[in-house]
C-alpha cells in the first residue's frame, strides 16, 4: 500500500517501479569523507560508515523502488570520489553540484528549460567566506575588498575554486578543506571559501567568523556513472525522483520534481 501511494506521488511517468530486469545486482555509492551536517554526519575518522539525512534518503529511495541490490557505502575524498565514478569503480556519488569541475563527466538529473533551480535536487549547499577577526576584509553588495597582496583560500579542484575564479578573486590553493582552515588560522590567507554545511563542524572551535551573505548557493545531486545510467536508466530515474520528493518532504515544501521518461 505504501509503495502504491508513493508511486502515485511521483507522477504518471514514474508510477511504474523498476522491473526486476532493470534492478542492479549491486550498488556502490560514495559519499564525502568530511562532515556536511545534517546531510552527512561526522568525518571519516568519527564515522567511517556514512550516516545522515542524505544517506537515509538514499536508502529510502532504494527501498521504495522494489529493488534490493547488494549495497556498499563508502566515504572518500572529493576528487577521489569523482575519479572512482568516472572510472566505473563506483555507481553513485552523493552529492555533487553542477558547478563541480567534474560534473560534466557524470550523469545528473536532467533540467527542463524554465524549471525551478531545486528540481530533482537531493538538497542545497551554500558557500561563504570565513576569516579570523580582526580583519580588513570587506564583503558588501557582492564585492570583496582584500588587503593588498592577499588572497582567498580555496580547495583545489572543487566547485569552490571555480566560484572564486568566476568572481575574479586572487586565490591560494590548498589540497583539502582541513589544510585550508589551518592556513586561515595561521593568518596565511585573508579569508577562505567553504561550504556552510561543512564549516559548521570544522570552524566552530577556531574562532572563525562567517561573512554574510553567502557568496553562492546551489542545489546538489546524486550523480551516477555514465555506464550505470546506460544499464539501469529506470532505476536511476526512480532514485532521482524519490530523492527529490524526500528532500521536499523534509523541508516541508512542495516538490520540484519533473516526470522522467527514460
Amino acid at each position: 500500500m505504501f509503495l502504491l501511494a508513493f508511486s502515485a506521488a511521483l507522477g504518471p511517468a514514474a508510477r511504474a517501479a523498476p522491473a526486476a530486469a532493470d534492478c542492479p545486482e549491486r550498488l556502490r555509492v560514495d559519499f564525502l569523507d568530511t562532515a556536511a551536517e545534517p546531510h552527512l554526519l561526522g568525518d571519516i575518522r568519527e564515522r567511517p560508515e556514512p550516516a545522515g539525512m542524505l544517506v537515509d534518503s538514499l536508502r529510502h529511495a532504494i527501498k521504495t523502488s522494489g529493488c534490493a541490490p547488494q549495497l556498499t557505502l563508502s566515504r572518500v575524498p572529493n576528487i577521489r570520489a569523482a575519479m572512482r565514478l568516472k572510472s566505473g569503480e563506483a555507481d553513485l556519488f552523493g552529492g555533487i553540484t553542477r558547478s563541480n569541475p567534474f560534473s560534466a563527466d557524470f550523469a545528473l538529473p536532467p533540467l527542463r528549460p524554465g524549471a525551478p533551480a531545486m528540481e530533482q535536487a537531493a538538497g542545497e549547499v551554500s558557500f561563504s567566506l570565513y576569516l579570523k577577526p580582526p580583519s580588513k576584509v570587506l564583503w558588501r553588495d557582492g564585492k570583496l575588498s582584500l588587503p593588498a597582496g592577499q588572497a582567498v583560500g580555496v580547495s583545489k579542484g572543487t566547485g569552490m575554486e571555480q566560484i572564486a575564479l568566476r568572481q575574479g578573486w586572487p586565490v591560494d590553493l590548498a589540497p583539502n578543506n582541513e589544510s585550508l582552515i589551518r592556513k586561515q588560522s595561521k593568518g596565511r590567507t585573508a579569508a577562505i571559501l567553504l561550504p556552510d554545511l561543512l564549516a559548521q563542524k570544522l570552524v566552530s572551535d577556531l574562532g572563525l567568523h562567517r561573512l554574510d551573505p553567502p557568496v553562492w548557493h546551489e542545489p546538489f545531486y546524486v550523480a551516477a556513472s555514465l555506464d550505470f545510467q546506460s544499464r539501469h536508466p529506470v532505476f536511476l530515474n526512480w532514485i532521482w525522483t524519490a530523492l527529490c520528493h524526500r528532500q521536499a518532504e523534509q523541508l516541508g515544501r512542495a516538490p520540484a520534481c519533473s516526470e522522467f521518461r527514460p
Side-chain angles (χ1 to χ4, degrees), residues 147-184:
Q150 295 199 30
V152 175
V154 295
S155 292
K156 184 178 181 180
T158 65
M160 290 173 289
E161 180 182 0
Q162 301 301 312
I163 292 168
L165 292 175
R166 285 199 301 269
Q167 294 280 348
W169 299 338
V171 299
D172 184 304
L173 298 178
N176 52 53
N177 289 318
E178 288 81 359
S179 174
L180 195 64
I181 292 173
R182 285 196 297 270
K183 281 188 174 186
Q184 171 58 208

Side-chain angles (χ1 to χ4, degrees), residues 2 6 9-10 39 52-64 118 120-123 238-257:
F2 173 79
F6 182 82
L10 292 183
H39 301 287
M53 186 184 297
L54 179 58
V55 183
D56 294 341
S57 295
L58 179 65
R59 289 185 182 275
H60 172 81
I62 296 169
K63 182 178 180 180
T64 59
M118 287 295 292
Q120 309 304 153
W238 178 280
I239 294 298
W240 281 335
T241 305
L243 285 171
C244 177
H245 278 268
R246 184 74 164 177
Q247 184 265 150
E249 176 186 314
Q250 290 165 338
L251 295 178
R253 64 188 186 195
C257 311

Side-chain angles (χ1 to χ4, degrees), residues 39-259:
H39 301 287
L40 292 173
L41 304 181
D43 61 30
I44 193 170
R45 292 161 295 186
E46 299 173 345
R47 286 179 174 266
E49 296 297 323
M53 186 184 297
L54 179 58
V55 183
D56 294 341
S57 295
L58 179 65
R59 289 185 182 275
H60 172 81
I62 296 169
K63 182 178 180 180
T64 59
S65 75
C67 298
Q70 179 183 347
L71 186 61
T72 302
L73 305 180
S74 304
R75 303 195 72 164
V76 296
N78 180 64
I79 295 180
R80 184 183 170 203
M83 294 300 97
R84 281 166 55 90
L85 197 63
K86 186 174 180 179
S87 68
E89 189 177 349
D91 302 310
L92 303 180
F93 177 23
I96 187 171
T97 62
R98 294 186 187 273
S99 67
N100 188 294
F102 298 103
S103 63
D105 297 322
F106 312 138
L108 291 172
L111 290 179
R112 296 176 300 126
M118 287 295 292
E119 183 170 63
Q120 309 304 153
E124 188 173 35
V125 63
S126 58
F127 302 87
S128 296
L129 289 163
Y130 290 81
L131 51 77
K132 193 167 187 176
S135 172
K136 295 182 180 180
V137 174
L138 295 177
W139 169 242
R140 293 176 181 169
D141 301 322
K143 295 182 179 180
L144 180 64
S145 175
L146 298 172
Q150 295 199 30
V152 175
V154 295
S155 292
K156 184 178 181 180
T158 65
M160 290 173 289
E161 180 182 0
Q162 301 301 312
I163 292 168
L165 292 175
R166 285 199 301 269
Q167 294 280 348
W169 299 338
V171 299
D172 184 304
L173 298 178
N176 52 53
N177 289 318
E178 288 81 359
S179 174
L180 195 64
I181 292 173
R182 285 196 297 270
K183 281 188 174 186
Q184 171 58 208
S185 65
K186 295 177 181 179
R188 293 171 59 188
T189 54
I192 56 177
L193 185 62
L194 288 173
D196 291 319
L197 291 173
L198 170 65
Q200 291 172 9
K201 178 70 174 179
L202 295 182
V203 306
S204 58
D205 298 326
L206 298 176
L208 297 185
H209 175 69
R210 182 171 75 93
L211 299 182
D212 288 322
V215 175
W216 186 262
H217 61 88
E218 63 180 310
F220 68 83
Y221 306 85
V222 170
S225 73
L226 296 176
D227 177 66
F228 185 83
Q229 183 190 39
S230 69
R231 289 185 289 112
H232 304 287
V234 178
F235 174 80
L236 180 58
N237 287 348
W238 178 280
I239 294 298
W240 281 335
T241 305
L243 285 171
C244 177
H245 278 268
R246 184 74 164 177
Q247 184 265 150
E249 176 186 314
Q250 290 165 338
L251 295 178
R253 64 188 186 195
C257 311
S258 67
E259 299 169 358

